[in-house]
Amino acid sequence: MEGVISLSLKEARNCYPGLLERYTKKDIGVFIYVPKDIKIRMPYITSRNPYTLIIMEPDSELTYVSENDSVSVEAYIGPGAHLYFLNLSRDSKDIYTDSNLSFFLKKSSICDLFFLDLAKNRVKRDVKVSLLEEDATSNIRGIYILEGNELLQYHILQEHKAPFTTSNLVYKGILKDDTKGLFKGEITIEKEAVQSDAYQANYTLILGENASIDTIPILEIKNNDLKRCTHGATVGQIDEDILFYMKSRGLEDKEALKLISIGFLEEIIEDISSESIKLKVLKYIEEKLEVNN
Amino acid sequence: MSNEISTNYRYGFRDPEDYVFKTKKGLSKEVIEEISWMKMEPEWMRVFRLKAYEIFISKPMPSWGPNLSGLDFDEIYYYIKPVEKEGHSWEDIPSYIRNTFEKLGIPEAEKKYLAGVSAQYESESVYHNLKKQWEKQGVIFVDTDTAIREYPDLVREYIGTVVPPQDNKFAALNSAVWSGGSFIYVPKGVYVDIPLQAYFRINAQNAGQFERTLIIADEGSYLHYIEGCTAPIYSSSSLHSAVVEIIVKKGARVRYSTVQNWSNNVYNLVTKRAFAYEDSIMEWVDGNLGSKVSMKYPSVYLYGKGARAELLSIAFAGKGQHQDVGGKVLHFVPYTSSNIVSKSISKDSGHNSYRGLVYIGPEAEGSRCSVRCDTLILDEYSRSDTYPYMKVRNRNVSLSHEASVSKIGEEQLFYLRSRGLDEIEANAMVIRGFIEPITKEFPMEYAVELNRLIKIQLEGTIG
C-alpha cells in the first residue's frame, strides 16, 4: 500500500536515513512504517524476527500478528492511530522464550493487545504500555496454558502519564501438572494523569497437583482524580459441583474438564475481533488442552 | 516543620524529664550489658540479648519499602528507667506521670470497664492493675520484665520462638535492647470477657521504645488485648521498634487491637506475628494514624487444621507520613482460612502503601483466602500504593484479591451538604462510612477516639 514501509532495519536505515534515528539504534530486525491515514485491514502476519520497530503515523491502522515466541517489539502509535497486536506463541523450538514489548501511545490512539501463550518451554515476558497523551486507550487480553513442567513469568506495566487515559487488562491462565507461574501486573498513575481509568484482572485456574502461581498486582497511584482504578485477582480450581453435573450428563472427565476450561477462557477468546484469528486461537487452545488430558 | 506539627497535634504535651537511670546514647555491647545488669536478669536473657545484638549488626537495612535514611541508631537512648519501683495502685504513681495519663483519659476508661490497665511509661511499666477475678482464673497479665522474674520457665519456653532475632534487623534490635511490654498467659478454657489493655507512651527526647509482648492463649481460651499509643511531639526522630509474639493454641481465640498514634517524628518499625494452631482464631485489628514512617505487617502463621486468621486495618497518612503497612498470612496446613481487609486514607501529600503476602503451601488444601484493599486519596498531592503478593502452591484452594482506589464522590458530598453539613463534617462522615467495617470491630471508646482523631486530622486542611 502507498507509502507503507516494511524492510529490515539495515535496509531502512540506508533508504530512509534520519527516520529511524529517533527510535532505535538497533540494526537487526524489521521496520514497519504506516503513513498518515493509511488503514491496513489485512493482518500483517510474521513468524520469525527477533525485533520489530513499528511506527504509526496519525490516524493509521495496523493489525499485526506474530507467531514468533521470543518477539520483541517497540511500537510508536501516533495520534488517533490504532494498533491491533496479537502474539500467538506455541510449539516453540527454543528452550527459552524471552519477550520484551513496549507500546507508546499518543493522543487518542488505541492499542489492543492479545497474547496467547501455549509455548512448550520457559516463558518470560515483559510488556509495557505507556499512555503518553490524552485519551489514549489500551486493552490488554491474554491467555496462558501451561503443562508438564513449564514455567511462565510475566510482568505487565500499565503506565498512565496523561489525563483521560484508559487501560484495561484481563488475563486468564490455566496451570496443569507441575507448572509454575508468576504474574506481576503493575499499574502506575502519575500526578498529571487525572481522570484515568485503569483496570486489571487476573484469573488463574489451577488444575495440576503440583502447580503453583504467584500473582502480584501492584498499584502506584499519585493522583486522586480518577475515573476508576481497580485490580482483582482470583486463584481457584474447577468447581466440583459443575464437574459432577457434567459427568451426570454423560460426559467423561477429560471432556468435561476441557469444556470447563474453554468456558473459563471464552470471555477473552470472544474479544478477538478478527474471525479467522479467533478460530485459529480456539483451535490452538483445544489442541493444547487435548494433550495428556 | 516542628511548629507545624505541634499546632496540629492535640496530644503533644510533655513532662519535664525526671529519670532514675538512662543508658548513654547509641548502641554497643556495653549498653546491652548495662541494660541486662540494671534489670538483674538471668544469664540466659543476657546471652539472648548479646546474640541478638550480633545479628542486628550483621543484618543490612531493608532495601525495599519506605525511606529510613532519617534514622540514626547512634542518636537513640536504648534504655530509660523512669521510677525506682512499680506502683501497684493509681495513687502510688508519681503525679506528673499520672497527669500524662489523665490527659489521655485512662482513668475514665478504667472506671468504665477495663480489666487491667498496664500503662507503659517510657521503657518500664509503671502501673499494673489486674482485676482480682482474672488472677483467680489463673490469667497472668504482667509486664515482660516482671514475667522474666516470676515466670522464667514460661517466658524462656516461648520468647523468640514466634519472632526469632534472626527474623529481621528490627526484631534483632528489639531482642537486644527490649524493655517492658506485656506478658499474658490465659490458661486452658478461660474466657477473658473484658479486654485487657496497655497504653504506651514515649516521653524523653530520642527515647526509643522497644517493648516486647508475649501472649500465650492456651487451649480453648479467649482473649482480647488492646494496645494504644499516643506520644508527645519532639523535633528529632524517635524510634519505636516493638516485637509482639502470640501463640494461639488449639481452639483458642485471640484478638489483638492496636491504635497507633505516634507523633509525626517517630519511626514505627514493628514485628508482630502469631502462630495459630488447630481450630484457633487469630485476629489483628489495626489502626495506624500517627508516626513518620510505619512498617508494620502483622502476620499469622496457620499451623493447625481449621485455623483462621483475620486482618483488619486502617491507615491514615497525612503530611510527611508514610504508612507502609499490610499483613501476612501463611497457610501451611489443610482447611485454613483467612480474611484481610485494609482501608487507607491519604491526604496532604501523605503516602500509604499496602504490602501484603498470602502464601498457600503445598499441603494447605481446601484453604480459602480473601483480600480486599480500598484506598481513598483526598487530594492531588497524596499517593497510594498496593503491593499484594499471592503465592499459591496448592490447586485445591480459593483465593481472591480486590483493590480499588478512589476519592470522595462529588455527589456524596453534594448530598450531605444539601442536608446542611459543612465540608469538614461531610468529608468526615464519608470517611467514617469508608472505615466503618473496621472501626466497628474496635471496642466502643476506641472507635469513638478513632473517629475523633480522623476529624482532627481533617480539620484545617479541607475547607
Side-chain angles (χ1 to χ4, degrees):
Chain A
M1 225 178 284
E2 213 172 313
V4 177
I5 303 169
S6 166
L7 286 173
S8 78
L9 279 174
K10 213 170 195 169
E11 286 169 306
R13 207 177 285 282
N14 292 332
C15 302
Y16 306 94
L19 187 58
L20 263 62
E21 266 56 54
R22 276 194 296 144
Y23 300 102
T24 187
K25 295 213 155 47
K26 289 194 178 102
D27 255 342
I28 300 164
V30 173
F31 174 60
I32 297 171
Y33 177 83
V34 189
K36 194 170 184 302
D37 294 326
I38 297 292
K39 295 185 177 12
I40 307 173
R41 295 268 150 73
M42 280 289 290
Y44 181 100
I45 301 179
T46 78
S47 60
R48 213 154 183 88
N49 38 53
Y51 170 79
T52 306
L53 172 67
I54 300 173
I55 297 174
M56 295 176 71
E57 292 293 349
D59 302 312
S60 61
E61 208 178 298
L62 173 70
T63 301
Y64 183 95
V65 184
S66 167
E67 296 206 27
N68 175 22
D69 301 324
S70 290
V71 58
S72 278
V73 169
E74 274 182 283
Y76 295 85
I77 307 165
H82 185 172
L83 172 66
Y84 196 56
F85 180 93
L86 300 100
N87 189 183
L88 316 179
S89 145
R90 58 177 204 125
D91 288 337
S92 177
K93 291 174 186 62
D94 304 331
I95 47 160
Y96 189 80
T97 295
D98 190 351
S99 156
N100 253 302
L101 306 117
S102 307
F103 300 88
F104 302 92
L105 280 79
K106 290 288 183 76
K107 194 172 156 70
S108 306
S109 63
I110 302 172
C111 175
D112 290 327
L113 305 175
F114 175 80
F115 297 99
L116 179 68
D117 271 301
L118 307 172
K120 292 191 172 108
N121 60 2
R122 293 159 173 254
V123 179
K124 181 174 172 291
R125 216 185 260 291
D126 281 291
V127 182
K128 181 167 97 171
V129 175
S130 213
L131 305 160
L132 301 174
E133 288 180 11
E134 275 176 42
D135 289 321
T137 302
S138 176
N139 297 303
I140 308 161
R141 297 286 178 276
I143 290 172
Y144 57 86
I145 302 171
L146 305 181
E147 63 183 11
N149 52 7
E150 292 163 11
L151 302 175
L152 175 127
Q153 186 183 332
Y154 248 93
H155 181 197
I156 298 190
L157 173 64
Q158 296 155 253
E159 229 178 17
H160 289 253
K161 293 189 159 178
F164 303 100
T165 46
T166 305
S167 73
N168 182 331
L169 176 145
V170 183
Y171 242 88
K172 293 201 173 187
I174 297 178
L175 300 170
K176 293 159 68 175
D177 308 328
D178 302 343
T179 54
K180 283 187 171 56
L182 185 148
F183 192 97
K184 186 170 170 184
E186 201 172 341
I187 295 175
T188 63
I189 297 186
E190 295 298 327
K191 204 181 218 106
E192 50 280 5
V194 293
Q195 287 294 312
S196 288
D197 181 348
Y199 180 76
Q200 189 184 98
N202 174 22
Y203 306 98
T204 313
L205 192 60
I206 306 187
L207 300 182
E209 205 67 63
N210 296 311
S212 75
I213 176 83
D214 290 5
T215 99
I216 312 164
I218 293 175
L219 300 177
E220 285 189 359
I221 317 296
K222 296 173 188 158
N223 167 341
N224 79 324
D225 188 10
L226 303 172
K227 219 176 266 164
R228 170 174 73 158
C229 180
T230 308
H231 70 202
T234 65
V235 178
Q237 57 145 7
I238 287 177
D239 193 332
E240 290 292 333
D241 292 346
I242 297 174
L243 206 59
F244 180 79
Y245 175 82
M246 294 181 87
K247 280 158 82 176
S248 77
R249 289 291 176 276
L251 285 168
E252 275 181 42
D253 242 351
K254 271 190 205 169
E255 197 62 22
L257 267 175
K258 193 175 135 192
L259 279 175
I260 294 168
S261 299
I262 290 175
F264 170 70
L265 302 172
E266 192 177 14
E267 179 193 352
I268 293 181
I269 302 169
E270 280 304 312
D271 256 12
I272 301 171
S273 57
S274 154
E275 218 37 59
S276 61
I277 294 169
K278 194 187 288 181
L279 289 173
K280 205 172 188 177
V281 167
L282 199 60
K283 196 181 115 220
Y284 289 166
I285 289 173
E286 279 177 350
E287 277 171 19
K288 178 86 174 186
L289 289 169
E290 211 73 64
V291 192
N292 298 335
N293 221 334
Chain B
M1 182 74 186
S2 65
N3 278 344
E4 249 166 76
I5 301 170
S6 48
T7 50
N8 285 334
Y9 192 73
R10 203 161 273 194
Y11 296 140
F13 48 83
R14 59 180 276 207
D15 298 306
E17 292 178 27
D18 176 16
Y19 298 103
V20 176
F21 174 81
K22 201 169 174 177
T23 56
K24 61 176 194 286
K25 263 189 192 175
L27 193 56
S28 66
K29 242 179 175 149
E30 290 68 48
V31 169
I32 288 159
E33 298 265 9
E34 210 174 13
I35 294 170
S36 193
W37 176 78
M38 275 303 301
K39 291 172 170 285
M40 295 181 288
E41 281 174 350
E43 177 65 14
W44 63 266
M45 186 34 82
R46 195 180 67 90
V47 173
F48 177 82
R49 285 178 188 275
L50 289 172
K51 267 191 194 152
Y53 174 65
E54 275 166 29
I55 294 162
F56 169 73
I57 298 288
S58 67
K59 287 220 183 243
M61 289 290 274
S63 56
W64 45 273
N67 178 7
L68 298 175
S69 60
L71 193 58
D72 186 350
F73 290 112
D74 297 329
E75 283 296 313
I76 292 166
Y77 293 103
Y78 287 90
Y79 180 60
I80 295 163
K81 191 179 172 133
V83 281
E84 281 281 51
K85 80 182 217 289
E86 242 178 292
H88 287 290
S89 75
W90 192 244
E91 282 68 37
D92 291 346
I93 290 170
S95 61
Y96 72 94
I97 294 180
R98 225 158 49 199
N99 284 341
T100 308
F101 285 125
E102 257 155 45
K103 283 178 215 163
L104 285 175
I106 291 186
E108 288 96 282
E110 199 207 6
K111 258 181 249 154
K112 281 179 203 155
Y113 62 86
L114 297 170
V117 172
S118 165
Q120 177 160 2
Y121 194 87
E122 296 306 335
S123 309
E124 192 99 2
S125 287
V126 285
Y127 181 56
H128 252 297
N129 185 8
L130 182 61
K131 284 259 169 74
K132 293 280 176 291
Q133 46 173 327
W134 306 129
E135 277 175 354
K136 249 182 262 162
Q137 285 182 303
V139 175
I140 302 168
F141 179 27
V142 293
D143 66 89
T144 313
D145 296 282
T146 307
I148 294 238
R149 282 194 302 274
E150 290 176 13
Y151 312 96
D153 297 338
L154 208 50
V155 177
R156 196 175 177 179
E157 187 182 342
Y158 291 105
I159 201 162
T161 56
V162 181
V163 181
Q166 292 85 348
D167 192 77
N168 65 68
K169 190 169 178 83
F170 298 100
L173 177 65
N174 176 284
S175 303
V177 300
W178 72 269
S179 193
S182 299
F183 174 81
I184 301 173
Y185 173 78
V186 188
K188 269 186 195 170
V190 170
Y191 188 94
V192 185
D193 57 358
I194 296 168
L196 300 180
Q197 73 173 33
Y199 261 77
F200 298 100
R201 292 192 36 87
I202 295 180
N203 195 28
Q205 191 155 6
N206 286 347
Q209 198 155 21
F210 304 95
E211 80 268 13
R212 186 154 192 125
T213 292
L214 177 57
I215 297 174
I216 302 150
D218 218 325
E219 289 175 18
S221 64
Y222 171 81
L223 170 74
H224 183 183
Y225 179 75
I226 301 174
E227 166 210 42
C229 317
T230 60
I233 293 285
Y234 287 107
S235 54
S236 59
S237 291
S238 275
L239 171 63
H240 173 244
S241 182
V243 167
V244 178
E245 301 177 281
I246 301 178
I247 292 146
V248 194
K249 295 202 174 168
K250 188 177 172 183
R253 175 173 178 184
V254 172
R255 166 174 284 208
Y256 191 106
S257 303
T258 311
V259 177
Q260 178 267 108
N261 189 25
W262 298 111
S263 61
N264 288 358
N265 59 325
V266 172
Y267 285 86
N268 184 36
L269 312 169
V270 180
T271 311
K272 290 181 164 177
R273 189 173 301 156
F275 285 177
Y277 294 96
E278 213 172 321
D279 294 324
S280 65
I281 301 174
M282 176 65 215
E283 297 162 294
W284 294 103
V285 185
D286 222 30
N288 295 294
L289 295 156
S291 82
K292 179 180 188 178
V293 173
S294 272
M295 287 174 84
K296 177 156 85 172
Y297 320 101
S299 49
V300 184
Y301 288 33
L302 299 164
Y303 279 129
K305 259 190 198 174
R308 173 163 183 80
E310 289 269 351
L311 265 62
L312 310 170
S313 70
I314 302 171
F316 195 108
K319 187 168 185 168
Q321 287 183 287
H322 186 172
Q323 305 279 15
D324 198 283
V325 296
K328 289 191 271 187
V329 180
L330 290 85
H331 298 250
F332 293 111
V333 291
Y335 309 112
T336 46
S337 61
S338 61
N339 180 30
I340 302 176
V341 181
S342 157
K343 303 261 179 187
S344 71
I345 300 153
S346 311
K347 77 166 194 43
D348 290 341
S349 73
H351 185 172
N352 268 305
S353 306
Y354 169 83
R355 200 181 293 276
L357 169 70
V358 175
Y359 171 81
I360 301 184
E363 257 113 77
E365 66 164 49
S367 290
R368 291 175 174 275
C369 172
S370 104
V371 184
R372 159 132 223 119
C373 311
D374 291 324
T375 294
L376 266 185
I377 307 183
L378 298 187
D379 57 51
E380 57 195 299
Y381 311 107
S382 305
R383 169 170 180 181
S384 176
D385 303 334
T386 313
Y387 305 100
Y389 289 73
M390 282 161 280
K391 304 188 173 194
V392 184
R393 302 282 174 274
N394 188 299
R395 70 178 173 138
N396 193 3
V397 300
S398 139
L399 176 136
S400 73
H401 171 95
E402 259 183 281
S404 74
V405 180
S406 55
K407 62 172 178 173
I408 294 178
E410 297 287 337
E411 318 83 64
Q412 288 170 319
L413 277 186
F414 180 78
Y415 176 82
L416 290 170
R417 297 188 69 180
S418 75
R419 291 289 176 276
L421 295 175
D422 67 27
E423 198 169 345
I424 293 174
E425 274 176 44
N427 273 297
M429 186 175 274
V430 175
I431 292 170
R432 275 205 299 278
F434 174 72
I435 60 172
E436 204 245 336
I438 304 194
T439 43
K440 73 174 185 216
E441 300 296 330
F442 281 105
M444 207 255 292
E445 81 272 19
Y446 273 83
V448 169
E449 189 180 284
L450 212 59
N451 281 333
R452 206 170 55 220
L453 284 167
I454 281 167
K455 185 135 186 246
I456 292 168
Q457 299 261 30
L458 284 176
E459 276 165 5
T461 53
I462 295 173

